[in-house]
Amino acid sequence: MYKYIFLALFISAISPSFGQNFNNAQQARLCLQYYRNGEFEKAAACFEELHKKDRSHDYYYERYLSCLFELEDYSTAEKVIKRAIKASPEKLERRVDYGRLYARQQEMDKAEKEYKRAIKELEGNQIQITRLANAFQQQDRHAEMVATYEKGEKLLGQPGIFAYQRGNAHRLAGNAEEMVKAYLDAIEAVPGRMTNIQAFLQRYLPEMTGSYEVLKTELFRRSQKDANNSLYPELLVWVYVQEEDFESALVQARALDLRLQENGSRVYKLAQMALNEEQYQAALDAFEYIVEEKGKTSIYYINAKEQILYTKRKQLSKGFAYTEEQLRTLEGEYKAFLKEFGQNAGTYGIMKQLAELEALYLNDLGQAIQILQAAVEMPRLDRQRLAEAKIQLGDYFLMNQEVWEASLLYSQVDKDQKDSPLGEMARYKNAKLSYYKGDFEWAQDQLEILKGATSELISNDAIDVSVFIMEHYNLDTTANSMRLFAQAELKIFQHRFEEAFTQMDSIKILYKGHGLEDDIHFARAKVFLQKLDYSKALTELEQIVANYPEGILVDNALFQMAQIYEERLKQPEKAMPLYEQILMEHMGSYFTVEARKRFRKLRGDGV
């Protein structure tokens, strides 16, 4: 204990002001507590005492003045401000306080006069300029903020030094055109700010009507004025991406690629973004530019050729809107690629895609199986991709009615990747295979284990199938209805949709009023969604809500309908009542949390 007393005495001896500063800090905390409690008279007296002890201390002055304003003691406030200005005339922010005093008394002419005088008295001092602008910002005087920064740049002889701050001031004032100009000035002054300012623009431009057009107009104007500056086309690429206008973005990206000799890097990244946003034609144009214009010298050449094939397949298969001729042309392009680059670990992805094309679109399961068997037998194929190939091969054997071969491949992956998501996926597929065969009890045993899978997706799927079996198994004495439904689901898996629908219709005829009827509508709805036939999907889902109000799929149907209206058809006014219906009538639903979030967002709550 004595050593702490000695230490305190020692500090006091070497720093006489230490004790005084400590006491002032304690008193300031007490004053602030009074202020927060709304006890402004006590706070004013408290801060006044501190201010008298140290008139140069800005915090004491500002808090004391705030107390006086709260008390509307404008006479005392004026004396305090005048004394502060006289003591420190270089602190021009105190003239803003004087203007604030007049403004509170509705003497706006006098307030404006003080604001102008503060700006007039500015000197070439960066700290002084910043402090004055901050003082104006606190009073929401955005025009004065801008005037302060503009004069500051002239006094310092450094154009653009405050451009970023000017941009913020115009943003606060809601002036999109001037904000854009100031931010572009800031990028010109310091190109390294590009990413930071892009983040600001991305956040605030959508809130300002027509602001993207303003930005594009200004970028084109500056591009014409300074054609050698690559910042403007770079920003134009970014703006077009924000608007999801990838074709226009590609025009700018190609020009930059040629000017900067980038060998296709920017264009390739843009192509990937377009592909992710399902802008297939723009993605194709970009990938083909790399192949045709950059050629084999580009490090992106092979990847671009691969992506062209993948994009074409996605483009054709979207909505199942394709012709036999288109599929055969694409098949030929895949085979030409493999002929050029060979079948090896490096082209495994193309082999996998070609197998999917053969199996799922050209209905040539034999060809698909042959391709994947070659992939499985390839040397140097890592365990991960080998497992993927075996699972896909198992799927095609199952579609080809070769159940034993499918089960064997799933089991191999399960054994080799036991504790990984791929191993769990293989185990789930084996359980689903048993379900398709009508062996519901064995499938149920496996699904019970998979409910604890590390993969949330597999766990949820296992739970869904398990609950489905428990709900419908033995609803009739022979379980034939369940077997027919499971067979129909297998046909859907095989893309034999019409056969599946016919079999489901037979269930409704043979087992009229059976508990599977709402599941049949839901399965049909999922097929129509896959085909992007939203009208038919909605009809099936509406049947569930209208005819099976006590069924467990009503909340699923409501949520799916709401999603279609919100995300696909862009009709939020129809989605809102459906989300609300979930909240009001299905409070225990799994979808309640997400429905509430989406409902509030559509209502404009900002959640």
Side-chain angles (χ1 to χ4, degrees), residues 28-45:
R29 282 193 291 272
L30 177 62
C31 300
L32 186 59
Q33 191 61 50
Y34 286 141
Y35 187 88
R36 287 173 175 169
N37 292 341
E39 299 177 81
F40 299 119
E41 288 187 7
K42 289 183 180 180

Side-chain angles (χ1 to χ4, degrees), residues 368-590:
I369 289 169
Q370 182 181 337
I371 293 166
L372 281 179
Q373 280 180 324
V376 166
E377 294 167 5
M378 284 190 308
R380 296 191 299 279
L381 192 66
D382 60 76
R383 287 177 66 242
Q384 175 89 2
R385 290 189 293 175
L386 178 60
E388 290 174 355
K390 284 186 174 182
I391 288 176
Q392 189 174 353
L393 184 56
D395 289 346
Y396 297 155
F397 275 126
L398 177 58
M399 292 171 69
N400 206 36
Q401 306 300 320
E402 297 179 69
V403 176
W404 171 250
E405 292 292 340
S407 182
L408 180 63
L409 284 164
Y410 295 150
S411 298
Q412 287 175 1
V413 176
D414 183 8
K415 182 179 178 181
D416 187 50
Q417 300 268 341
K418 202 160 191 66
D419 298 319
S420 75
L422 279 172
E424 292 172 342
M425 174 61 77
R427 206 170 312 138
Y428 172 75
K429 284 183 174 287
N430 246 336
K432 198 73 183 288
L433 189 152
S434 297
Y435 164 78
Y436 290 142
K437 291 192 301 180
D439 190 351
F440 302 123
E441 291 180 5
W442 191 90
Q444 187 71 296
D445 289 341
Q446 300 306 306
L447 292 167
E448 281 295 324
I449 298 170
L450 284 165
K451 287 179 182 179
T454 54
S455 166
E456 185 178 355
L457 179 63
I458 294 170
S459 174
N460 289 341
D461 286 346
I463 291 170
D464 288 344
V465 178
S466 176
V467 169
F468 177 78
I469 292 172
M470 285 190 291
E471 184 186 7
H472 297 291
Y473 188 44
N474 286 335
L475 283 181
D476 56 85
T477 54
T478 61
N480 280 341
S481 57
M482 271 282 286
R483 290 191 177 91
L484 287 171
F485 186 82
Q487 290 166 11
E489 284 207 292
L490 176 58
K491 287 182 172 66
I492 290 174
F493 177 74
Q494 296 168 333
H495 286 199
R496 294 157 59 192
F497 300 128
E498 292 307 318
E499 292 178 47
F501 286 175
T502 301
Q503 188 150 332
M504 286 178 175
D505 289 340
S506 72
I507 297 172
K508 295 180 74 173
I509 295 169
L510 293 171
Y511 304 93
K512 189 171 179 61
H514 195 283
L516 280 167
E517 287 187 358
D518 55 345
D519 295 281
I520 289 170
H521 285 295
F522 200 71
R524 288 169 62 93
K526 287 194 287 187
V527 171
F528 288 129
L529 270 176
Q530 193 174 353
K531 290 184 172 185
L532 306 185
D533 191 337
Y534 302 126
S535 176
K536 288 183 179 179
L538 285 167
T539 299
E540 297 292 340
L541 294 167
E542 286 164 358
Q543 290 285 323
I544 297 172
V545 177
N547 299 327
Y548 311 96
E550 303 303 320
I552 66 170
L553 289 176
V554 176
D555 57 333
N556 297 63
L558 286 168
F559 190 80
Q560 192 72 72
M561 289 164 65
Q563 277 191 307
I564 293 171
Y565 281 123
E566 180 188 1
E567 298 174 359
R568 303 294 181 178
L569 300 179
K570 307 300 181 186
Q571 297 177 5
E573 71 282 356
K574 292 186 178 180
M576 280 185 68
L578 294 169
Y579 288 133
E580 188 174 25
Q581 191 173 345
I582 295 172
L583 299 176
M584 300 298 291
E585 300 175 11
H586 303 273
M587 289 181 286
S589 169
Y590 170 81

Side-chain angles (χ1 to χ4, degrees), residues 142 164 185 204 216 220 249 276 333 411 462-463 521 578 599 606:
H142 304 124
Y164 182 80
D185 289 343
Y204 294 111
K216 285 188 290 188
F220 279 121
N276 290 338
E333 291 179 18
S411 298
I463 291 170
H521 285 295
L578 294 169
F599 176 76

Side-chain angles (χ1 to χ4, degrees), residues 99 101-113:
L101 174 67
Y102 284 128
R104 286 181 69 94
Q105 298 174 87
Q106 303 304 312
E107 297 185 72
M108 298 310 300
D109 289 342
K110 290 182 178 180
E112 296 287 345
K113 185 177 179 181

Side-chain angles (χ1 to χ4, degrees), residues 158-173:
Q158 298 182 58
I161 188 173
F162 293 119
Y164 182 80
Q165 290 85 345
R166 281 192 284 112
N168 288 339
H170 288 303
R171 173 178 61 79
L172 292 169

Side-chain angles (χ1 to χ4, degrees), residues 195-463:
T195 302
N196 192 19
I197 288 176
Q198 280 177 337
F200 265 90
L201 292 172
Q202 188 174 31
R203 180 177 178 183
Y204 294 111
L205 282 180
E207 300 174 0
M208 298 178 169
T209 305
S211 54
Y212 278 114
E213 291 304 315
V214 167
L215 177 55
K216 285 188 290 188
T217 300
E218 183 64 16
L219 285 170
F220 279 121
R221 188 186 70 79
R222 296 194 183 208
S223 293
Q224 292 171 352
K225 186 178 178 181
D226 185 3
N228 294 322
N229 193 332
S230 63
L231 288 173
Y232 306 128
E234 281 185 39
L235 269 171
L236 275 168
V237 171
W238 178 82
V239 173
Y240 285 127
V241 168
Q242 302 309 302
E243 295 183 310
E244 296 188 3
D245 182 358
F246 288 95
E247 290 288 358
S248 297
L250 179 58
V251 172
Q252 299 296 327
R254 283 189 298 208
L256 280 168
D257 179 74
L258 293 171
R259 182 192 300 179
L260 303 177
Q261 296 294 301
E262 292 177 331
N263 206 22
S265 59
R266 187 190 304 272
V267 175
Y268 187 82
K269 290 176 185 175
L270 180 63
Q272 291 282 22
M273 284 191 281
L275 179 57
N276 290 338
E277 295 297 324
E278 299 184 354
Q279 300 284 334
Y280 297 125
Q281 191 55 53
L284 272 177
D285 292 343
F287 288 130
E288 287 172 349
Y289 166 81
I290 293 170
V291 171
E292 295 168 7
E293 300 296 327
K294 297 299 167 182
K296 295 181 180 180
T297 60
S298 172
I299 60 173
Y300 301 100
Y301 176 75
I302 296 177
N303 287 339
K305 291 204 76 170
E306 286 185 15
Q307 292 299 320
I308 286 171
L309 295 174
Y310 177 73
T311 305
K312 284 184 176 180
R313 186 173 67 82
K314 293 285 286 185
Q315 188 179 36
L316 285 179
S317 63
K318 184 179 180 181
F320 292 77
Y322 46 77
T323 65
E324 174 81 12
E325 183 182 0
Q326 288 173 317
L327 292 175
R328 289 299 176 190
T329 299
L330 184 56
E331 178 192 36
E333 291 179 18
Y334 269 108
K335 289 181 176 179
F337 182 96
L338 291 173
K339 184 177 181 181
E340 181 179 358
F341 298 103
Q343 293 187 0
N344 50 63
T347 60
Y348 160 76
I350 292 297
M351 295 174 70
K352 185 171 179 287
Q353 290 176 35
L354 177 57
E356 289 174 358
L357 181 68
E358 299 289 357
L360 303 181
Y361 301 97
L362 291 168
N363 299 317
D364 192 341
L365 284 167
Q367 185 75 257
I369 289 169
Q370 182 181 337
I371 293 166
L372 281 179
Q373 280 180 324
V376 166
E377 294 167 5
M378 284 190 308
R380 296 191 299 279
L381 192 66
D382 60 76
R383 287 177 66 242
Q384 175 89 2
R385 290 189 293 175
L386 178 60
E388 290 174 355
K390 284 186 174 182
I391 288 176
Q392 189 174 353
L393 184 56
D395 289 346
Y396 297 155
F397 275 126
L398 177 58
M399 292 171 69
N400 206 36
Q401 306 300 320
E402 297 179 69
V403 176
W404 171 250
E405 292 292 340
S407 182
L408 180 63
L409 284 164
Y410 295 150
S411 298
Q412 287 175 1
V413 176
D414 183 8
K415 182 179 178 181
D416 187 50
Q417 300 268 341
K418 202 160 191 66
D419 298 319
S420 75
L422 279 172
E424 292 172 342
M425 174 61 77
R427 206 170 312 138
Y428 172 75
K429 284 183 174 287
N430 246 336
K432 198 73 183 288
L433 189 152
S434 297
Y435 164 78
Y436 290 142
K437 291 192 301 180
D439 190 351
F440 302 123
E441 291 180 5
W442 191 90
Q444 187 71 296
D445 289 341
Q446 300 306 306
L447 292 167
E448 281 295 324
I449 298 170
L450 284 165
K451 287 179 182 179
T454 54
S455 166
E456 185 178 355
L457 179 63
I458 294 170
S459 174
N460 289 341
D461 286 346
I463 291 170

